[in-house]
Coordinates of all heavy atoms in Angstrom, one line a residue:
M19 N 101.5 122.6 36.3 CA 101.4 121.3 36.9 C 100.9 121.4 38.4 O 101.1 122.4 39.1 CB 102.8 120.7 37.1 CG 103.3 119.9 35.9 SD 104.8 119.1 36.3 CE 104.6 117.7 35.3
A20 N 100.2 120.4 38.8 CA 99.7 120.3 40.1 C 100.7 119.9 41.1 O 101.5 119.0 40.9 CB 98.4 119.5 40.2
R21 N 100.6 120.5 42.3 CA 101.6 120.1 43.3 C 101.1 118.9 44.1 O 99.9 118.9 44.4 CB 101.8 121.3 44.3 CG 102.5 122.5 43.7 CD 102.6 123.6 44.6 NE 103.4 123.4 45.8 CZ 103.5 124.1 46.8 NH1 102.8 125.2 46.9 NH2 104.2 123.8 47.9
R22 N 102.0 118.1 44.4 CA 101.6 116.9 45.0 C 102.0 117.1 46.5 O 103.1 117.3 46.8 CB 102.3 115.6 44.6 CG 101.9 114.4 45.2 CD 102.1 113.2 44.4 NE 101.5 112.1 45.1 CZ 102.1 111.0 45.6 NH1 103.4 110.9 45.4 NH2 101.4 110.0 46.1
T23 N 101.0 116.9 47.5 CA 101.3 117.1 48.9 C 101.5 115.7 49.5 O 100.8 114.8 49.1 CB 100.1 117.9 49.6 OG1 99.0 117.1 49.4 CG2 100.0 119.3 49.0
R24 N 102.3 115.7 50.5 CA 102.5 114.5 51.2 C 101.5 114.4 52.4 O 101.2 115.3 53.1 CB 104.0 114.5 51.8 CG 105.0 114.4 50.8 CD 106.3 114.4 51.5 NE 107.2 113.5 50.8 CZ 108.5 113.3 51.3 NH1 108.9 114.0 52.3 NH2 109.2 112.5 50.6
T25 N 101.0 113.2 52.6 CA 100.2 112.9 53.8 C 101.1 112.3 54.9 O 101.8 111.3 54.7 CB 99.0 112.0 53.4 OG1 99.6 110.8 53.0 CG2 98.1 112.6 52.3
S26 N 101.0 113.0 56.0 CA 101.8 112.5 57.1 C 101.1 111.3 57.8 O 99.9 111.2 57.7 CB 102.1 113.6 58.1 OG 100.9 113.9 58.7
P27 N 101.8 110.4 58.4 CA 101.1 109.3 59.1 C 100.2 109.7 60.2 O 99.2 109.1 60.5 CB 102.4 108.5 59.6 CG 103.5 108.9 58.8 CD 103.2 110.3 58.4
L28 N 100.6 110.9 60.8 CA 99.7 111.4 61.9 C 98.3 111.8 61.4 O 97.3 111.6 61.9 CB 100.4 112.6 62.6 CG 99.6 113.2 63.7 CD1 99.4 112.2 64.8 CD2 100.4 114.4 64.2
S29 N 98.3 112.4 60.2 CA 97.0 112.8 59.7 C 96.2 111.6 59.3 O 95.0 111.6 59.4 CB 97.2 113.8 58.4 OG 97.9 113.1 57.4
V30 N 96.8 110.5 58.8 CA 96.1 109.3 58.5 C 95.5 108.7 59.8 O 94.4 108.2 59.8 CB 97.0 108.3 57.8 CG1 96.4 106.9 57.5 CG2 97.5 108.9 56.4
V31 N 96.3 108.6 60.8 CA 95.8 108.1 62.1 C 94.7 108.9 62.6 O 93.6 108.4 63.0 CB 97.0 108.0 63.1 CG1 96.5 107.7 64.5 CG2 98.0 107.0 62.6
L32 N 94.8 110.2 62.6 CA 93.7 111.1 63.0 C 92.4 110.9 62.2 O 91.3 110.9 62.8 CB 94.2 112.5 63.1 CG 95.1 112.9 64.1 CD1 95.6 114.4 64.0 CD2 94.6 112.7 65.5
A33 N 92.5 110.8 60.9 CA 91.4 110.6 60.0 C 90.7 109.2 60.3 O 89.5 109.1 60.4 CB 91.8 110.7 58.6
L34 N 91.5 108.3 60.5 CA 91.0 106.9 60.9 C 90.3 106.9 62.2 O 89.3 106.3 62.4 CB 92.2 105.8 60.9 CG 91.8 104.4 61.1 CD1 90.9 104.0 60.0 CD2 93.0 103.5 61.2
A35 N 90.9 107.6 63.2 CA 90.3 107.7 64.6 C 88.9 108.5 64.4 O 87.9 108.1 65.1 CB 91.2 108.4 65.5
A36 N 88.9 109.5 63.7 CA 87.7 110.3 63.5 C 86.6 109.4 62.9 O 85.4 109.4 63.2 CB 87.9 111.6 62.8
A37 N 87.0 108.6 61.8 CA 86.0 107.7 61.2 C 85.5 106.6 62.1 O 84.3 106.4 62.1 CB 86.7 107.1 60.0
C38 N 86.4 106.1 63.0 CA 85.9 105.1 63.9 C 85.0 105.7 64.9 O 84.0 105.1 65.3 CB 87.1 104.4 64.6 SG 88.0 103.4 63.5
L39 N 85.3 106.9 65.4 CA 84.4 107.6 66.4 C 83.0 107.9 65.8 O 82.0 107.6 66.5 CB 85.1 108.9 66.8 CG 84.4 109.6 68.0 CD1 84.3 108.8 69.2 CD2 85.1 110.9 68.3
L40 N 83.0 108.4 64.6 CA 81.7 108.6 64.0 C 80.9 107.3 63.7 O 79.7 107.3 64.0 CB 81.9 109.3 62.6 CG 82.3 110.8 62.7 CD1 82.7 111.3 61.4 CD2 81.2 111.6 63.4
A41 N 81.6 106.2 63.3 CA 80.9 105.0 63.2 C 80.4 104.5 64.5 O 79.2 103.9 64.6 CB 81.9 103.9 62.6
Q42 N 81.1 104.6 65.6 CA 80.6 104.2 66.9 C 79.4 105.0 67.3 O 78.4 104.5 67.9 CB 81.7 104.3 67.9 CG 81.3 103.7 69.3 CD 82.5 103.8 70.3 OE1 83.5 104.3 70.0 NE2 82.2 103.3 71.4
W43 N 79.4 106.3 67.1 CA 78.3 107.1 67.5 C 77.1 106.8 66.6 O 75.9 106.8 67.1 CB 78.6 108.6 67.3 CG 79.4 109.1 68.5 CD1 79.6 108.6 69.7 CD2 80.2 110.4 68.4 NE1 80.4 109.4 70.5 CE2 80.8 110.5 69.7 CE3 80.4 111.3 67.5 CZ2 81.6 111.6 70.1 CZ3 81.2 112.4 67.8 CH2 81.8 112.5 69.1
A44 N 77.3 106.5 65.4 CA 76.1 106.2 64.5 C 75.6 104.8 64.8 O 74.3 104.7 64.7 CB 76.6 106.2 63.1
L45 N 76.3 103.8 65.3 CA 75.8 102.5 65.5 C 75.3 102.3 67.0 O 74.6 101.3 67.3 CB 76.9 101.5 65.1 CG 77.3 101.5 63.7 CD1 78.4 100.4 63.5 CD2 76.1 101.1 62.8
T46 N 75.6 103.2 67.8 CA 75.1 103.0 69.2 C 73.7 103.5 69.4 O 73.4 104.6 69.0 CB 76.0 103.8 70.2 OG1 77.3 103.5 70.0 CG2 75.6 103.7 71.6
P47 N 72.9 102.6 69.9 CA 71.4 102.9 70.0 C 71.3 104.0 71.2 O 72.1 104.1 72.1 CB 70.7 101.7 70.4 CG 71.8 100.8 70.9 CD 73.1 101.2 70.3
L48 N 70.3 104.8 71.1 CA 70.0 105.9 72.1 C 69.7 105.3 73.4 O 70.0 105.9 74.4 CB 68.9 106.9 71.6 CG 69.3 107.7 70.4 CD1 68.1 108.5 70.0 CD2 70.5 108.6 70.8
S49 N 69.1 104.1 73.5 CA 68.7 103.6 74.8 C 69.9 103.1 75.6 O 69.9 103.1 76.8 CB 67.8 102.4 74.6 OG 68.5 101.3 73.9
A50 N 71.0 102.9 75.0 CA 72.2 102.5 75.7 C 73.0 103.7 76.3 O 73.9 103.5 77.1 CB 73.2 101.8 74.8
A51 N 72.5 104.9 76.0 CA 73.2 106.0 76.5 C 72.7 106.3 77.9 O 73.4 107.1 78.6 CB 72.9 107.3 75.5
F52 N 71.6 105.8 78.3 CA 71.1 106.1 79.7 C 71.2 104.9 80.5 O 70.8 103.8 80.0 CB 69.7 106.6 79.5 CG 69.5 107.9 78.8 CD1 69.0 107.9 77.5 CD2 69.9 109.1 79.4 CE1 68.9 109.0 76.8 CE2 69.7 110.2 78.6 CZ 69.3 110.2 77.3
I53 N 71.5 105.0 81.7 CA 71.7 103.9 82.6 C 70.4 103.9 83.6 O 70.1 104.9 84.2 CB 73.0 104.0 83.5 CG1 74.1 104.0 82.5 CG2 73.0 102.9 84.5 CD1 75.5 104.2 83.3
S54 N 69.8 102.7 83.7 CA 68.6 102.7 84.5 C 69.0 102.7 85.9 O 70.1 102.2 86.3 CB 67.8 101.5 84.2 OG 68.5 100.3 84.4
P55 N 68.2 103.2 86.9 CA 68.6 103.2 88.3 C 68.5 101.8 88.9 O 67.8 101.0 88.4 CB 67.6 104.2 88.9 CG 66.4 104.2 88.0 CD 67.0 103.9 86.6
R56 N 69.3 101.6 89.9 CA 69.4 100.3 90.5 C 68.1 100.1 91.4 O 67.6 101.0 91.9 CB 70.6 100.2 91.5 CG 71.8 100.1 90.8 CD 73.0 99.8 91.9 NE 74.1 99.2 91.2 CZ 75.2 98.8 91.9 NH1 75.2 99.0 93.2 NH2 76.2 98.3 91.3
A57 N 67.7 98.8 91.5 CA 66.5 98.5 92.3 C 67.1 98.6 93.8 O 68.2 98.2 94.0 CB 66.0 97.2 91.9
E58 N 66.1 98.9 94.6 CA 66.5 99.0 96.1 C 66.7 97.6 96.6 O 65.9 96.7 96.4 CB 65.5 99.7 96.8 CG 65.8 100.0 98.3 CD 64.8 100.9 98.9 OE1 64.2 101.8 98.3 OE2 64.6 100.6 100.1
Q59 N 67.8 97.4 97.3 CA 68.1 96.0 97.8 C 67.8 96.1 99.3 O 68.1 97.1 100.0 CB 69.5 95.7 97.6 CG 69.9 95.5 96.2 CD 71.4 95.2 96.0 OE1 72.2 95.2 96.9 NE2 71.8 94.9 94.8
K60 N 67.2 95.0 99.8 CA 66.9 94.9 101.2 C 67.7 93.9 101.9 O 68.1 92.9 101.2 CB 65.4 94.6 101.4 CG 64.5 95.7 100.8 CD 63.0 95.3 101.1 CE 62.1 96.4 100.5 NZ 60.7 96.1 100.7
N61 N 68.0 94.1 103.1 CA 68.8 93.1 103.9 C 70.2 92.9 103.3 O 70.7 91.8 103.2 CB 68.1 91.8 104.1 CG 66.8 91.9 104.9 OD1 66.6 92.8 105.7 ND2 65.8 91.1 104.5
V62 N 70.9 93.9 103.0 CA 72.2 93.8 102.4 C 73.2 93.6 103.6 O 74.2 93.0 103.4 CB 72.6 95.2 101.7 CG1 74.0 95.1 101.2 CG2 71.6 95.3 100.5
E63 N 72.8 94.0 104.8 CA 73.8 93.9 105.9 C 73.9 92.5 106.4 O 74.9 92.1 107.0 CB 73.3 94.8 107.1 CG 73.1 96.2 106.8 CD 71.7 96.5 106.2 OE1 70.8 95.8 106.4 OE2 71.6 97.6 105.5
V64 N 72.9 91.7 106.2 CA 72.9 90.3 106.8 C 74.1 89.5 106.2 O 74.8 88.9 106.9 CB 71.6 89.6 106.5 CG1 71.6 88.2 106.9 CG2 70.4 90.3 107.3
P65 N 74.3 89.4 104.9 CA 75.4 88.6 104.4 C 76.8 89.2 104.9 O 77.7 88.4 105.2 CB 75.4 88.7 102.9 CG 74.0 89.0 102.6 CD 73.5 89.9 103.8
A66 N 76.9 90.5 105.0 CA 78.1 91.1 105.5 C 78.5 90.7 107.0 O 79.5 90.4 107.3 CB 78.1 92.6 105.3
V67 N 77.4 90.7 107.8 CA 77.5 90.4 109.2 C 77.9 88.9 109.3 O 78.8 88.5 110.1 CB 76.3 90.7 110.0 CG1 76.3 90.1 111.4 CG2 76.1 92.2 110.0
L68 N 77.2 88.0 108.5 CA 77.6 86.7 108.5 C 79.0 86.3 108.1 O 79.7 85.5 108.7 CB 76.6 85.9 107.7 CG 75.1 85.8 108.2 CD1 74.2 85.1 107.2 CD2 75.1 85.1 109.5
G69 N 79.5 87.1 107.1 CA 80.8 86.9 106.7 C 81.8 87.3 107.7 O 82.9 86.7 108.0
A70 N 81.5 88.4 108.5 CA 82.4 88.9 109.5 C 82.4 87.9 110.7 O 83.5 87.6 111.2 CB 82.0 90.3 110.0
L71 N 81.3 87.4 111.0 CA 81.2 86.4 112.1 C 81.9 85.1 111.8 O 82.5 84.5 112.7 CB 79.7 86.1 112.5 CG 79.0 87.3 113.2 CD1 77.5 86.9 113.4 CD2 79.7 87.6 114.6
A72 N 81.8 84.7 110.5 CA 82.6 83.5 110.1 C 84.0 83.7 110.2 O 84.8 82.8 110.7 CB 82.1 83.1 108.7
A73 N 84.5 84.9 109.8 CA 86.0 85.1 109.9 C 86.4 85.2 111.3 O 87.5 84.7 111.7 CB 86.3 86.3 109.2
L74 N 85.6 85.8 112.2 CA 86.0 85.9 113.6 C 85.9 84.5 114.3 O 86.7 84.2 115.1 CB 85.0 86.9 114.3 CG 85.3 87.3 115.7 CD1 86.6 87.9 115.9 CD2 84.2 88.1 116.3
G75 N 84.9 83.8 113.9 CA 84.8 82.4 114.5 C 85.9 81.5 114.3 O 86.2 80.6 115.1
T76 N 86.6 81.7 113.1 CA 87.7 80.7 112.8 C 88.9 81.2 113.6 O 89.8 80.3 113.8 CB 88.0 80.8 111.3 OG1 88.2 82.1 110.9 CG2 86.9 80.2 110.5
S77 N 89.1 82.4 114.1 CA 90.2 82.8 114.8 C 90.1 82.6 116.3 O 91.1 82.7 117.0 CB 90.6 84.3 114.5 OG 89.6 85.1 115.0
L78 N 88.9 82.4 116.8 CA 88.6 82.3 118.2 C 89.3 81.1 118.8 O 89.9 81.2 119.9 CB 87.2 82.3 118.5 CG 86.5 83.7 118.4 CD1 85.1 83.6 118.7 CD2 87.2 84.7 119.4
P79 N 89.3 79.9 118.2 CA 90.0 78.8 118.8 C 91.5 79.0 119.1 O 92.0 78.5 120.1 CB 89.7 77.6 117.9 CG 88.5 78.0 117.2 CD 88.6 79.4 117.0
A80 N 92.1 79.7 118.2 CA 93.6 79.9 118.3 C 93.8 80.9 119.5 O 94.8 80.7 120.3 CB 94.1 80.5 117.0
Q81 N 93.0 81.9 119.7 CA 93.1 82.7 120.8 C 92.7 82.1 122.2 O 93.2 82.5 123.2 CB 92.3 84.0 120.6 CG 92.7 84.8 119.3 CD 94.1 85.4 119.5 OE1 94.5 85.7 120.5 NE2 94.8 85.5 118.3
A82 N 91.7 81.2 122.1 CA 91.2 80.6 123.3 C 92.2 79.7 124.0 O 92.3 79.7 125.2 CB 89.9 79.9 123.1
S83 N 93.0 79.0 123.2 CA 93.8 78.0 123.8 C 95.3 78.5 123.6 O 96.2 77.8 123.2 CB 93.7 76.6 123.1 OG 94.0 76.8 121.7
Y84 N 95.5 79.7 124.1 CA 97.0 80.2 123.9 C 97.7 79.8 125.2 O 97.8 80.5 126.2 CB 96.8 81.7 123.8 CG 98.2 82.4 123.6 CD1 98.9 82.2 122.5 CD2 98.7 83.1 124.7 CE1 100.1 82.8 122.3 CE2 100.0 83.7 124.5 CZ 100.7 83.6 123.3 OH 101.9 84.1 123.2
N85 N 98.3 78.7 125.1 CA 99.3 78.3 126.1 C 100.6 77.7 125.5 O 101.2 77.0 126.1 CB 98.7 77.3 127.1 CG 98.1 76.1 126.4 OD1 98.3 76.0 125.2 ND2 97.6 75.2 127.2
W86 N 100.8 78.1 124.3 CA 101.9 77.6 123.5 C 103.2 78.4 123.9 O 103.1 79.6 124.2 CB 101.7 77.7 122.0 CG 100.5 77.0 121.6 CD1 100.0 75.9 122.0 CD2 99.7 77.5 120.5 NE1 98.9 75.6 121.3 CE2 98.7 76.5 120.3 CE3 99.7 78.5 119.6 CZ2 97.7 76.7 119.4 CZ3 98.7 78.7 118.7 CH2 97.7 77.8 118.6
V87 N 104.3 77.8 123.8 CA 105.6 78.5 123.9 C 106.4 78.1 122.8 O 106.5 77.0 122.3 CB 106.3 78.2 125.3 CG1 105.5 78.7 126.5 CG2 106.4 76.7 125.4
G88 N 107.1 79.1 122.2 CA 108.0 78.9 121.1 C 109.3 78.5 121.6 O 109.7 78.6 122.8
P89 N 110.2 78.1 120.7 CA 111.6 77.8 121.1 C 112.4 78.9 121.6 O 113.4 78.7 122.3 CB 112.2 77.1 119.8 CG 111.3 77.5 118.7 CD 110.0 77.8 119.3
L90 N 112.0 80.1 121.2 CA 112.8 81.2 121.7 C 112.0 82.2 122.6 O 112.4 83.3 122.9 CB 113.2 82.1 120.5 CG 114.1 81.4 119.5 CD1 114.4 82.4 118.3 CD2 115.5 81.0 120.1
T91 N 110.9 81.6 123.2 CA 110.1 82.5 124.1 C 110.9 82.9 125.3 O 111.5 82.0 126.0 CB 108.9 81.7 124.5 OG1 108.1 81.3 123.4 CG2 107.9 82.5 125.4
G92 N 110.9 84.2 125.6 CA 111.6 84.7 126.8 C 113.1 85.0 126.6 O 113.7 85.4 127.5
S93 N 113.6 84.7 125.5 CA 115.1 84.9 125.2 C 115.3 86.4 124.9 O 114.4 87.2 124.6 CB 115.6 84.0 124.2 OG 115.0 84.4 122.9
E94 N 116.6 86.7 125.0 CA 117.0 88.1 124.8 C 116.8 88.5 123.3 O 116.4 89.7 123.0 CB 118.5 88.3 125.1 CG 119.1 89.6 124.7 CD 119.0 90.6 125.9 OE1 119.0 90.1 127.0 OE2 119.1 91.8 125.7
I95 N 116.8 87.6 122.4 CA 116.7 87.9 121.0 C 115.3 88.3 120.6 O 115.0 89.0 119.6 CB 117.3 86.8 120.1 CG1 117.6 87.3 118.7 CG2 116.3 85.7 120.0 CD1 118.4 86.4 117.9
C96 N 114.4 87.9 121.4 CA 112.9 88.3 121.2 C 112.6 89.7 121.5 O 111.5 90.2 121.3 CB 112.0 87.3 121.9 SG 112.1 85.6 121.2
S97 N 113.6 90.4 122.2 CA 113.3 91.8 122.6 C 114.1 92.8 121.7 O 113.9 93.9 121.8 CB 113.7 92.0 124.0 OG 115.0 91.7 124.2
T98 N 115.0 92.2 120.8 CA 115.7 93.1 119.9 C 114.9 93.4 118.7 O 114.6 92.5 117.9 CB 117.0 92.4 119.5 OG1 117.7 92.0 120.6 CG2 117.9 93.3 118.7
K99 N 114.5 94.7 118.4 CA 113.5 95.0 117.4 C 113.9 94.6 116.0 O 113.0 94.0 115.4 CB 113.2 96.5 117.5 CG 112.3 96.8 118.6 CD 110.9 96.1 118.4 CE 110.0 96.4 119.6 NZ 108.9 95.7 119.7
P100 N 114.9 94.9 115.4 CA 115.0 94.6 114.0 C 115.1 93.1 113.7 O 114.6 92.6 112.7 CB 116.3 95.2 113.5 CG 116.7 96.2 114.5 CD 116.1 95.8 115.8
I101 N 115.6 92.3 114.6 CA 115.7 90.9 114.4 C 114.4 90.2 114.7 O 114.0 89.3 114.1 CB 116.8 90.3 115.3 CG1 118.2 90.9 114.9 CG2 116.9 88.8 115.2 CD1 119.3 90.5 115.7
V102 N 113.6 90.7 115.8 CA 112.4 90.0 116.1 C 111.4 90.1 115.1 O 110.5 89.2 115.0 CB 111.9 90.6 117.5 CG1 111.2 91.9 117.3 CG2 110.9 89.6 118.1
W103 N 111.4 91.1 114.1 CA 110.5 91.2 113.1 C 110.6 89.9 112.1 O 109.7 89.6 111.5 CB 110.6 92.4 112.3 CG 110.2 93.7 113.1 CD1 109.4 93.7 114.2 CD2 110.8 94.9 113.0 NE1 109.3 94.9 114.7 CE2 110.2 95.8 114.0 CE3 111.7 95.5 112.1 CZ2 110.4 97.1 114.1 CZ3 111.9 96.9 112.3 CH2 111.3 97.7 113.3
L104 N 111.8 89.4 112.0 CA 112.1 88.3 111.1 C 111.8 87.0 111.8 O 111.4 86.0 111.2 CB 113.5 88.3 110.7 CG 113.9 89.6 109.8 CD1 115.4 89.6 109.6 CD2 113.1 89.7 108.6
I105 N 112.0 86.8 113.2 CA 111.9 85.5 113.8 C 110.8 85.6 114.8 O 110.7 84.7 115.7 CB 113.2 85.2 114.6 CG1 113.5 86.3 115.6 CG2 114.3 85.1 113.5 CD1 114.5 85.8 116.6
Y106 N 109.8 86.4 114.7 CA 108.7 86.5 115.7 C 107.9 85.2 115.8 O 107.5 85.0 117.0 CB 107.8 87.7 115.4 CG 107.1 88.2 116.6 CD1 107.9 88.8 117.7 CD2 105.8 88.1 116.8 CE1 107.3 89.3 118.9 CE2 105.2 88.5 118.1 CZ 106.0 89.1 119.0 OH 105.4 89.6 120.2
P107 N 107.6 84.4 114.8 CA 106.9 83.2 115.0 C 107.7 82.2 115.9 O 107.0 81.4 116.5 CB 106.8 82.6 113.6 CG 106.8 83.8 112.7 CD 107.7 84.7 113.3
L108 N 109.0 82.3 116.0 CA 109.7 81.5 117.0 C 109.5 82.0 118.4 O 109.7 81.3 119.3 CB 111.2 81.4 116.5 CG 111.5 80.8 115.2 CD1 113.0 80.9 114.9 CD2 111.0 79.4 115.2
C109 N 109.3 83.3 118.6 CA 109.2 83.8 120.0 C 107.7 83.7 120.4 O 107.5 83.4 121.6 CB 109.5 85.3 119.9 SG 111.3 85.6 119.5
D110 N 106.7 83.8 119.6 CA 105.3 83.8 119.9 C 104.6 83.0 118.8 O 104.3 83.5 117.7 CB 104.8 85.2 120.0 CG 103.4 85.2 120.6 OD1 103.0 84.2 121.1 OD2 102.8 86.4 120.8
P111 N 104.2 81.7 119.0 CA 103.7 80.9 118.0 C 102.3 81.2 117.5 O 101.9 80.7 116.4 CB 103.7 79.5 118.7 CG 104.4 79.6 119.9 CD 104.5 81.0 120.3
V112 N 101.6 82.2 118.0 CA 100.3 82.6 117.5 C 100.5 83.2 116.2 O 99.7 83.1 115.3 CB 99.6 83.5 118.5 CG1 98.4 84.1 117.8 CG2 99.1 82.7 119.7
F113 N 101.6 83.9 116.0 CA 101.9 84.6 114.7 C 102.5 83.6 113.7 O 102.5 83.7 112.6 CB 102.9 85.8 114.9 CG 102.2 86.8 115.8 CD1 102.5 87.0 117.1 CD2 101.3 87.7 115.2 CE1 102.0 88.0 117.9 CE2 100.7 88.7 116.0 CZ 101.1 88.8 117.3

């Protein structure tokens, strides 16, 4: 009589993975294996500089007219470090 061997689930998964890998290699065209070089871009710095200037320009009005005082400006609690991290907008309204 012939012996019947059991197939483990791991061997089935490995065989299925190998079959999928072979099918992917067989169906992938050779031209997709190589990546063409990028075309050289000119004036890449201009948009970056414009973006930085736009971000800086929106913050300038807040810094220029800094004469605000908060409800706790100058008080003792604004100099105590662990607490001031939580209530700093009440001490200095720019934040």
